[in-house]
């Protein structure tokens, strides 16, 4: 069966990626097969320069399928794969899919030392498949790419990041037991550790949503950081669901969406100051979420 193939890293499956997949589906009734790479090539070739990822592999596959991919082929990126010439790459990963068209971003590079570009892909595809290169997407004159989204998150600008992603930035994981100080203060939180290889917004307090395994989306105040008031060390995402002290989420996988940044992290001198600020944060969350 012939296919339409889209190739890319697709970290974050942002608006630029979505446009590639949408255009690919318009070009043919053939099923869309996506080729993506894991781990990130830079983490293999230059581990010291490895970018923080916008999502794990499971999330990436789910997003790609939600946009229309019939099948997702994950290439295990190794030094041996990196050493393939452009022609070897096409012979090994592309031609077996019997593509009628291959859709990529106009800046697509492949093969050893990124020697292959769109022109080379077109040459290698002669007699086999058509190559459709797509211009990059932009939002407010800023090119949409995973790198720019990471930079926005590092600044805490989750609203701008969402514009490029086409949805709120999300993290997910299994809730772990924390220090339980929030429970003592009347603001129990669901605690997620921050994986070292994953992107998270800058330290601070955010308005957002928590979704559990039941699929119910609950309004939440989200703190990212190491809890400076209590001299914490490890960075965590701590999420308090508004007006709920009855939730038991330990061991449950949750998803946390970031909508707007309220403030940076602050170290408070006493508990009364902290509780007063938490109360103010909750009220600002209500406004930010339109509650």
């Amino acid at each position: 069966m012939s296919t339409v193939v889209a190739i890319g890293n697709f970290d974050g499956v942002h608006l630029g990626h979505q446009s590639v997949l949408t255009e690919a589906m318009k070009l043919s009734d053939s099923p869309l097969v996506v080729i993506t790479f894991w781990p990130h090539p830079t983490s293999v070739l230059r581990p010291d320069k490895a970018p923080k990822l916008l999502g794990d592999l499971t999330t990436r596959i789910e997003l790609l399928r939600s946009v229309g991919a019939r099948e997702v082929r994950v290439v295990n990126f190794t030094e041996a794969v990196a050493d393939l010439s452009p022609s070897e790459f096409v012979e090994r990963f592309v031609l077996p899919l019997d593509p009628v068209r291959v859709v990529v971003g106009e800046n697509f590079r492949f093969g050893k030392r990124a020697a292959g570009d769109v022109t080379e892909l077109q040459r290698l595809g002669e007699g086999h498949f058509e190559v459709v290169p797509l211009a990059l997407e932009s939002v407010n004159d800023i090119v949409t790419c995973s790198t720019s989204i990471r930079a926005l998150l590092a600044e805490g600008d989750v609203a701008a990041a969402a514009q490029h992603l086409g949805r709120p930035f999300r993290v997910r994981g299994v809730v772990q037991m924390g220090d339980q100080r929030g429970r003592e203060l009347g603001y129990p939180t669901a605690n997620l550790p921050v994986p070292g290889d994953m992107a998270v917004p800058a330290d601070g307090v955010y308005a957002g949503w928590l979704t559990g395994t039941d699929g119910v989306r609950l309004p939440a105040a989200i703190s990212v950081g190491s809890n400076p008031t209590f001299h914490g060390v490890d960075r965590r995402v701590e999420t308090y669901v508004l007006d709920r002290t009855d939730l038991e989420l330990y061991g449950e996988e949750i998803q946390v969406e970031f909508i707007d940044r309220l403030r940076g992290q602050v170290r408070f001198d006493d508990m009364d100051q902290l509780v007063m600020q938490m109360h103010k944060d909750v009220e600002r969350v209500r406004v930010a979420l339109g509650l």
Side-chain angles (χ1 to χ4, degrees):
M1 178 187 296
S2 62
T3 64
V4 175
V5 174
I7 311 174
N9 274 321
F10 298 109
D11 182 29
V13 193
H14 54 59
L15 289 180
H17 299 144
Q18 294 169 39
S19 70
V20 168
L21 302 183
T22 300
E23 186 62 26
M25 289 186 292
K26 289 180 181 178
L27 295 173
S28 174
D29 292 332
S30 299
L32 172 61
V33 178
V34 173
I35 296 175
T36 188
F37 308 94
W38 191 272
H40 194 286
T42 303
S43 70
V44 175
L45 300 175
R46 299 187 65 185
D48 59 319
K49 301 293 185 181
K52 302 291 187 181
L53 298 178
L54 299 176
D56 59 24
L57 182 58
T58 299
T59 299
R60 183 185 304 180
I61 293 171
E62 290 175 354
L63 288 169
L64 289 170
R65 289 188 178 278
S66 73
V67 179
R70 176 79 63 84
E71 182 181 347
V72 179
R73 294 287 184 99
V74 180
V75 174
N76 179 26
F77 196 89
T78 62
E79 291 186 2
V81 171
D83 206 41
L84 295 174
S85 68
S87 61
E88 290 172 330
F89 177 89
V90 169
E91 290 171 4
R92 181 169 174 180
F93 297 116
V94 182
L95 290 181
L97 299 175
D98 191 24
V100 292
R101 291 180 183 84
V102 174
V103 184
V104 294
E106 63 182 4
N107 62 344
F108 177 67
R109 304 299 295 234
F110 66 106
K112 187 174 182 178
R113 296 180 181 174
D117 57 11
V118 168
T119 300
E120 178 67 1
L121 186 60
Q122 290 171 329
R123 186 186 71 80
L124 294 171
E126 289 179 359
H128 299 287
F129 54 82
E130 175 190 6
V131 176
V132 181
L134 297 181
L136 303 180
E137 296 286 321
S138 296
V139 176
N140 298 327
D141 297 324
I142 298 175
V143 173
T144 295
C145 65
S146 300
T147 299
S148 64
I149 294 170
R150 292 186 196 105
L152 290 168
L153 293 174
E155 296 169 1
D157 195 345
V158 295
Q163 289 183 303
H164 289 275
L165 286 166
R167 64 182 182 279
F169 177 73
R170 304 163 181 162
V171 298
R172 72 179 186 182
V174 176
V175 177
Q176 299 186 6
M177 184 171 289
D179 302 317
Q180 296 189 302
R181 293 193 185 96
R183 186 177 298 274
E184 296 171 3
L185 299 174
Y187 295 93
T189 59
N191 300 298
L192 297 179
V194 175
D197 58 346
M198 293 292 163
V200 293
D203 288 4
V205 176
Y206 299 81
W209 302 88
L210 179 149
T211 304
T213 54
D214 58 5
V216 178
R217 197 164 172 251
L218 301 170
I222 308 159
S223 173
V224 179
S226 57
N227 211 333
T229 298
F230 299 101
H231 307 287
V233 176
D234 298 328
R235 291 186 79 211
R236 292 180 292 189
V237 175
E238 301 182 77
T239 306
Y240 164 66
V241 175
L242 269 56
D243 306 319
R244 296 292 298 271
T245 59
D246 59 326
L247 296 175
E248 294 295 340
L249 298 173
Y250 294 125
E252 181 174 331
E253 183 174 80
I254 63 170
Q255 177 176 271
V256 178
E257 299 177 52
F258 294 82
I259 302 301
D260 197 14
R261 190 172 197 246
L262 305 182
R263 62 174 176 85
Q265 280 282 9
V266 177
R267 183 180 183 278
F268 296 95
D269 295 328
D270 60 56
M271 300 288 275
D272 289 341
Q273 288 182 357
L274 173 59
V275 171
M276 184 180 300
Q277 183 61 56
M278 292 172 72
H279 178 74
K280 292 179 181 178
D281 291 339
V282 166
E283 295 311 306
R284 291 183 65 190
V285 168
R286 297 187 201 280
V287 173
L289 299 180
L291 301 177

